[in-house]
Amino acid sequence: MQQIVPGRAVLGVVLSGVCGVLIAGPSEAQAYVSAGCDAANKGRLNASVTAGRGTVREVRLDEGETLTLTITTKGKAALSVHSEGDAARVLHSGRSISVVFVAPRTASYGFHIDADDDAGASLGARCTSITGVANERALLERRKAFLAGRDPDRIRIDRPAGDPKPLEAPGAASANGEIPKEVTASVSVSELLSAMNPGGKKDPGILDFWFEGRYMNYDTGSFQTRESDGNFSVMYFGSKYMVGPDIMLGALAQFDQTGEALGTENKASASGWMAGPYVSVRFGPGIIFDGRAAWGTTQNLPHGIAVDTASADRSLLRGTIRGTRQYGGWDVTPKVGLSYVEDTPVRSSSGVPEGSHAAVGTGRLDVVPELKRRFDINSETYIEPRIAAGGFLSFDEMSALNPGTSVVPDLQWKAEAGVAVGKKDGVNWQATGGVETGAATATDTWSGRLQLNMPLGK
C-alpha cells in the first residue's frame, strides 16, 4: 500500500496506453459529487470502467481526512487527482494497488480512473474522518506502549515456576474506563514432558523450548456513550540455553495484534512481528540483569485505511537490572528498566519513505522498588502481600535521556498493590490494583487484575 500526501513529488510517469490526466473520457466519464467522508464510506466514490475507458468521481474533504483508494484491474490503470485551483497529478499508474490520500486542505477533489485497452478497472474508496485518524494514531501509540511495557516472563533466569507475572498496561484504560481483563498461558517442552511422566526427570536440562501468550481486553475511554473497547494479544515462541547456572541465553519470536472499536462503525487494528536474542544473567545473590533486542515489521490494518504508513520496520531494545534483599522478613527489590520501541516507515525504491512521517519511537525509563512478604497460613497454604511505587520518564527519542539536550522527558508516577493466596508449589490466586499518572494532556490510568496461576501437572 502506498500513501500519497499532496504537495510532495508525484509518482512516476504515465505508462503507454494509460491516460493519467483529469480529462473526461468516452461516454462513461461523468463526474459524481458526494456529500463528503460519510458518502464515500457508503460507496458513492466507487466506480467501474471497461477497457480503454475512464470516469471521474468527486468528493469534498476536510483538511486531514484520509481516503484509501483501491484500484483493481487485470491489466494496468491510472489514477489521478485534482482539486480547486490545482493541476491534475498522477497518484498511481500500473497494476492493482491501494493508495492512501490525505487531504491537505478543505476542498473538493476529483479522482479520475482510466483503464488501458487490455482490461477494465474498478475503484473502491474508504474515508477516515479527522477524529478517526486521531483515534487510530492513539491505537498505535497504545500498542507500542504495551510492547515497551514488559517482556515475556520466560526470559527471566529467576522466573518462579508456574507464576507468570501479570501484564502491565500503560495507557490502556482511563479512570472512566473498565478494568482490563487478561488471560495468560505459558508452557515449555520440559514441563509438558514432566506432566506426561510424573515420575521422570524434572530438570529441563541446558536446552528448552517454550511458549507464552497473553490476551487482554480494555476500555479506551474515548467514547462515553458508545462502544469503545480494545484488545491486545501477543504470542511468544522461544528457546533457552543455560550456559551455566547464572547465565541464560536464548532467542524468541513474537506475534502481536491490537484492535479497537471506536464507536459502532469505526474499527481499527494493527499487527506485527519481531524476533531476536535475549540474555538473563545473575551477577550475585539477588542481582539480575535481563536484556533483549528484537527487529521485525508492523502492519497497520484498519478497515480499508492506513494512517502514517502501511508498513514499517520495527526495533525494540529493553534492559532491566534488579536486586533483591531481605529486611525484617520483607523482600525489597529495587528495579531500574529502560525500554524503547521504534517504527521506521518502509522506503520505496526511490529511497523516499512511503509514509508521511520519519521514524517514531516510544520509550520509558522506570525506577520502581517493590516490597513483598510471604506469610504461611499452614504447612501448605500461604498469603503474600505486595506493594510497588515509583516513577518513570517517558520519551519519544533516545536523545531525550542526554543531560545536555533541551528535550525534557515527561516524569510520571505509578503505584501498585496486590495480594497472592495459594498453595506452595501449586495453584494460587493473584489480585492486583494500580494507578499510573498520565502525561500533561492525558488522564490517569487505573488498572486491576484477578489472575489464576495453575502450574502444569499440579
Side-chain angles (χ1 to χ4, degrees):
M1 180 180 289
Q2 295 177 261
Q3 185 178 42
I4 307 298
V5 179
R8 299 196 175 191
V10 178
L11 298 180
V13 179
V14 178
L15 299 179
S16 175
V18 181
C19 178
V21 294
L22 191 57
I23 302 174
S27 59
E28 290 187 40
Q30 298 178 354
Y32 190 94
V33 179
S34 79
C37 205
D38 183 62
N41 286 334
K42 292 180 179 178
R44 295 176 65 180
L45 273 181
N46 298 353
S48 296
V49 293
T50 57
R53 306 242 176 174
T55 191
V56 179
R57 293 292 185 266
E58 188 171 315
V59 62
R60 186 169 184 82
L61 300 173
D62 290 331
E63 180 179 349
E65 289 185 326
T66 303
L67 274 179
T68 292
L69 302 161
T70 302
I71 305 168
T72 305
T73 179
K74 293 183 179 180
K76 296 178 181 178
L79 178 65
S80 303
V81 62
H82 86 293
S83 59
E84 301 165 349
D86 292 336
R89 52 179 164 259
V90 178
L91 297 183
H92 173 69
S93 181
R95 305 286 182 179
S96 299
I97 199 172
S98 290
V99 178
V100 176
F101 176 85
V102 182
R105 56 189 174 88
T106 300
S108 292
Y109 295 89
F111 297 90
H112 183 212
I113 182 170
D114 259 325
D116 66 10
D117 296 332
D118 297 328
S122 63
L123 176 67
R126 176 75 182 179
C127 186
T128 308
S129 65
I130 298 171
T131 301
V133 171
N135 288 333
E136 288 175 15
R137 287 176 178 156
L139 176 149
L140 300 180
E141 289 303 311
R142 273 188 285 269
R143 177 181 170 217
K144 283 191 291 184
F146 287 136
L147 294 174
R150 74 154 298 203
D151 277 328
D153 299 309
R154 291 279 177 176
I155 71 172
R156 297 163 47 203
I157 195 171
D158 62 336
R159 171 188 172 272
D163 187 18
K165 181 182 176 182
L167 175 66
E168 296 177 7
S174 71
N176 297 321
E178 297 179 357
I179 294 176
K181 297 172 283 292
E182 179 192 337
V183 177
T184 303
S186 180
V187 69
S188 71
V189 171
S190 62
E191 290 169 352
L192 285 173
L193 294 176
S194 177
M196 291 186 293
N197 185 18
K201 180 183 177 182
K202 300 292 184 180
D203 185 1
I206 61 174
L207 180 64
D208 199 7
F209 299 90
W210 54 267
F211 163 81
E212 188 171 321
R214 304 182 190 89
Y215 176 86
M216 185 183 73
N217 180 266
Y218 59 91
D219 180 39
T220 66
S222 301
F223 291 74
Q224 298 300 321
T225 59
R226 291 188 291 170
E227 179 186 13
S228 58
D229 65 310
N231 62 81
F232 172 79
S233 60
V234 60
M235 295 186 298
Y236 300 96
F237 298 88
S239 64
K240 72 171 185 178
Y241 179 78
M242 298 301 300
V243 178
D246 297 324
I247 301 177
M248 182 173 73
L249 302 177
L252 66 85
Q254 73 174 56
F255 303 86
D256 67 274
Q257 188 274 339
T258 308
E260 291 182 358
L262 307 169
T264 56
E265 296 183 357
N266 189 358
K267 301 181 186 295
S269 64
S271 61
W273 67 272
M274 286 191 294
Y278 69 87
V279 60
S280 187
V281 181
R282 183 183 292 106
F283 290 107
I287 302 176
I288 306 292
F289 170 78
D290 300 319
R292 180 190 172 201
W295 300 268
T297 62
T298 177
Q299 295 287 331
N300 305 336
L301 301 173
H303 287 191
I305 47 185
V307 298
D308 291 333
T309 179
S311 62
D313 293 329
R314 165 164 291 170
S315 61
L316 177 147
L317 292 173
R318 183 173 174 85
T320 302
I321 188 165
R322 47 200 161 83
T324 301
R325 291 290 185 271
Q326 283 198 341
Y327 298 96
W330 287 85
D331 289 336
V332 181
T333 308
K335 181 174 69 173
V336 178
L338 175 64
S339 60
Y340 186 69
V341 179
E342 183 177 84
D343 291 344
T344 304
V346 173
R347 295 180 176 271
S348 64
S349 58
S350 62
V352 180
E354 292 180 352
S356 60
H357 298 282
V360 179
T362 298
R364 289 167 60 112
L365 176 62
D366 291 79
V367 180
V368 183
E370 177 183 295
L371 289 84
K372 66 179 181 180
R373 182 174 182 178
R374 178 170 291 193
F375 297 91
D376 292 333
I377 299 176
N378 52 47
S379 60
E380 295 184 353
T381 310
Y382 69 90
I383 182 171
E384 184 179 83
R386 181 182 69 88
I387 185 171
F392 64 93
L393 298 175
S394 60
F395 52 90
D396 297 329
E397 298 180 1
M398 290 292 287
S399 60
L401 298 178
N402 186 347
T405 184
S406 59
V407 180
V408 180
D410 293 326
L411 176 60
Q412 297 165 243
W413 304 97
K414 64 183 296 183
E416 190 173 81
V419 63
V421 179
K423 294 185 176 182
K424 298 176 182 178
D425 299 324
V427 177
N428 68 75
W429 285 91
Q430 294 182 3
T432 307
V435 61
E436 185 175 289
T437 62
T441 59
T443 59
D444 295 344
T445 296
W446 294 84
S447 63
R449 295 180 292 266
L450 181 62
Q451 182 175 332
L452 170 65
N453 299 316
M454 184 179 297
L456 192 65
K458 297 292 183 180

